[in-house]
Amino acid sequence: MSKKLKAAIIGPGNIGTDLLMKAMRSDWIEPVWMVGIEESEGIKRARDFGMKTSVSGVDGLLPHVIEDDVRIAFDATSAYVHAENSRKLNELGVIMIDLTPAAIGPFCIPPVNLKAHAEKLEMNVNMVTCGGQATIPIVAAVSRVQPVSYGEIVATVGSKSVGPGTRMNIDEFTRTTAAGVEQVGGAKKGKAIIVINPAEPPLIMRDTIHCLTEEEPDQEAITQSVLDMVEAVQQYVPGYNLVNGPIFDGNRVTVFMEVEGLGDFLPKYAGNLDIMTAAGLRTAEMFAEEAANNTITLPARA
Amino acid sequence: MNLQGKKVTLHDMSLRDGMHAKRHQITLQQMIDVATGLDEAGMPLIEVTHGDGLGGASVNYGFPAHSDEEYLNAVVPKMKQAKISALLLPGIGTVDHLRMAYDCGVSTIRVATHCTEADVSQQHIGLASEMKMDTVGFLMMAHMVPAEKILEQAKLMESYGANCVYCTDSAGYMLPDEVLEKIGLLRAELKPDTEVGFHGHHNLGMGVANSLAAIDAGAARIDGSVAGLGAGAGNTPLEVFVATLYRMGVESGVDLFKIMDVAEDLVVPLMDHPIRLDRDALTLGYAGVYSSFLLFAKRAEAKYGISARDILVELGKRGTVGGQEDMIEDLALTMAKEQGLI
């Protein structure tokens, strides 16, 4: 029996397609279904890659979940439909990896808390935001050394990489990311800022992370912790680069990052989207690894 | 230029854009004193917020001496005729801040985006308009794109519910012909009852000239700042502008001698440094860089030994936009490494 877990991707847009291309290379995940709501370029691409496809939403997938042994679903649609998608698939024992801002399940930042979620067999985990994936690991790297009273992140992204969903509800980005900085990053108070830059050629995603430590920062320990964390993220996002820092100014610790994507389907500058798909896939892989090691038992199926 | 008989609404920026020049440290009493002086001088609109708008309090832009709520609650009740406005940059502030400002009695909300990104303002403009606020769309760094693009973005803001749209020269880069063209196109193509506004910076010494050009092209609202207190070389100095408007027969409702006194007696004494066109402020205008980067670049120069001018020129080349203050220290570090300074 293959150790790979079979997966469905819901949403055949840019994110879903990029995720599909990454998943096809995975040692732990085997994508088998692509779910859309109509015939589209994305559905056609998925079919060309050999996927089974539904053009009638999740309902078109449900009758095949058991026979195809789909264990993981990635939702790359919108917060509005995620809750229903998740409910229907969870009922059939499918673990839901939520790439929308719905945040029904706990936030998941792979190098910080993924293992804990996998061990508990959380049936729905939320991938926060692109800015959160790029910055919360660094906040956590500081807060695991000493208490952080305030964590603030500034994500600057190329205009072309920000879709209409994010634009129509940009407050959701700032709120969700700030909540992640607190809940997963470990800062007592979190703040998130997003800046959209239309320069051509598009700029690669940039992220600045500021932490204010409660006591004088232990420079050596924090520097090492940040370097270790960068390496951990690079395991699944090779283009996660430390540009400058950590620099120390009183109790302020600042780190400047750049995130270049792999350029699978999305262009390389769209590191913000790449880090979401990579983190989502990494999350699914961890569930598969834990299942293979028998540390978790997937929902029973006849 | 004949502006005889035209009317214009002036909007003072000293207590918002001026916060940049004061590193957001204006005291409550200073806010009250300046706003009261402006109110008595007949200034119809006064903006009060963190320099980067509601929710701007941050490591990145600077923590203010007081919260937006404290400033607004201090100033709003003291106004006899002036209305108070607040700025909001989606991505920094949220609709929660907007509601807070509304509850404090703010009557005008100005939702600011980069000049190509108006579609991030839909929820904020929509809510403000729903709450029947005077709702203004504010297209920043308007020198970076052609007039047609500004119009396209202005129409988006208008469609979300803005009753006024600004062409904002955040870098103080524009010359009068460009102002004429952009304001003229907005005036010609937006709905007749949508007002058009202009916000200038004085980085090429063009604040007054550009604002006159804007009125000539049909702008109904002009931003400026008493004593010029604002980011970069400051905003269009309002006492100078008011004097010019008197000479040209434009009605603003502002008393010249009273605003001169506010400038001289209240605002100049609270400046940390003279608001003037030093070489770094001039570089902003020359290179087309967001005005509030000025003090950040000066601080980076002091800390890393890289000239502020070099940093600003490079930021201009990279097409940085408002809000990217974090790039300044990052770039200074990179330049210092390249030059073997660290």
Side-chain angles (χ1 to χ4, degrees), chain B residues 13-21 47 51 199 201 229-231 235:
Chain B
M13 297 289 117
S14 61
L15 302 178
R16 198 280 301 164
D17 216 317
M19 284 284 267
H20 289 301
E47 194 150 274
H199 173 107
H201 278 270
L229 183 66
N235 297 98

Side-chain angles (χ1 to χ4, degrees), chain A residues 150 152 154 156 159 167 169-171 174-175 191 193-194 196-198 206 208 210 243-244 247 252 256, chain B residues 55 57-61 91 94-96 114 116-117 119-120 123-124 319 324 326-327 329-330 333-334 337:
Chain A
Y150 177 85
E152 175 182 310
V154 186
T156 306
S159 188
R167 288 171 179 275
N169 199 350
I170 199 159
D171 285 3
T174 52
R175 282 198 199 105
K191 183 173 178 70
I193 294 166
I194 180 168
I196 303 176
N197 180 311
R206 291 194 66 274
T208 299
H210 302 289
V243 179
N244 280 306
I247 55 165
R252 170 171 72 101
F256 301 96
Chain B
S58 56
V59 174
N60 212 47
Y61 306 122
T94 67
V95 292
D96 302 332
H114 184 68
T116 56
E117 313 298 322
D119 57 359
V120 299
Q123 62 186 153
H124 315 84
Q324 285 189 266
D326 55 321
M327 266 307 288
E329 185 164 29
D330 189 12
L333 278 159
T334 299
K337 273 185 203 164

Side-chain angles (χ1 to χ4, degrees), chain B residues 239-256:
Chain B
E239 68 286 3
V240 183
F241 192 55
V242 167
T244 313
L245 294 180
Y246 269 88
R247 289 275 308 275
M248 298 187 81
V250 178
E251 201 181 307
S252 75
V254 176
D255 184 292
L256 175 60

Side-chain angles (χ1 to χ4, degrees), chain B residues 3-23:
Chain B
L3 303 180
Q4 191 73 37
K6 293 207 180 214
K7 283 187 183 167
V8 65
T9 302
L10 298 183
H11 194 162
D12 179 79
M13 297 289 117
S14 61
L15 302 178
R16 198 280 301 164
D17 216 317
M19 284 284 267
H20 289 301
K22 285 286 299 174
R23 293 178 303 110

Side-chain angles (χ1 to χ4, degrees), chain A residues 61 63 90 108 115 127 175 200 204 216 226 231 292 296 298 300:
Chain A
L61 165 69
N90 274 176
C108 179
K115 205 162 166 51
M127 304 312 295
R175 282 198 199 105
E200 287 291 341
I204 293 173
E216 194 186 325
V226 166
E231 216 177 291
I296 57 172
L298 296 174

Side-chain angles (χ1 to χ4, degrees), chain B residues 251-332:
Chain B
E251 201 181 307
S252 75
V254 176
D255 184 292
L256 175 60
F257 285 180
K258 284 186 179 166
I259 192 172
M260 284 165 76
D261 289 346
V262 175
E264 203 70 20
D265 297 336
L266 297 177
V267 178
V268 171
L270 67 79
M271 289 179 180
D272 294 335
H273 58 273
I275 301 294
R276 62 173 281 270
L277 252 166
D278 69 6
R279 67 181 161 200
D280 298 330
L282 176 55
T283 304
L284 297 168
Y286 173 74
V289 176
Y290 199 64
S291 292
S292 61
F293 286 7
L294 179 69
L295 297 186
F296 289 82
K298 284 182 186 290
R299 283 200 290 274
E301 173 179 292
K303 190 166 172 189
Y304 298 107
I306 301 291
S307 103
R309 183 168 58 193
D310 289 352
I311 295 170
L312 292 169
V313 166
E314 181 60 26
L315 289 166
K317 279 189 199 152
R318 293 189 181 196
T320 47
V321 302
Q324 285 189 266
E325 271 78 347
D326 55 321
M327 266 307 288
I328 299 165
E329 185 164 29
D330 189 12
L331 180 63

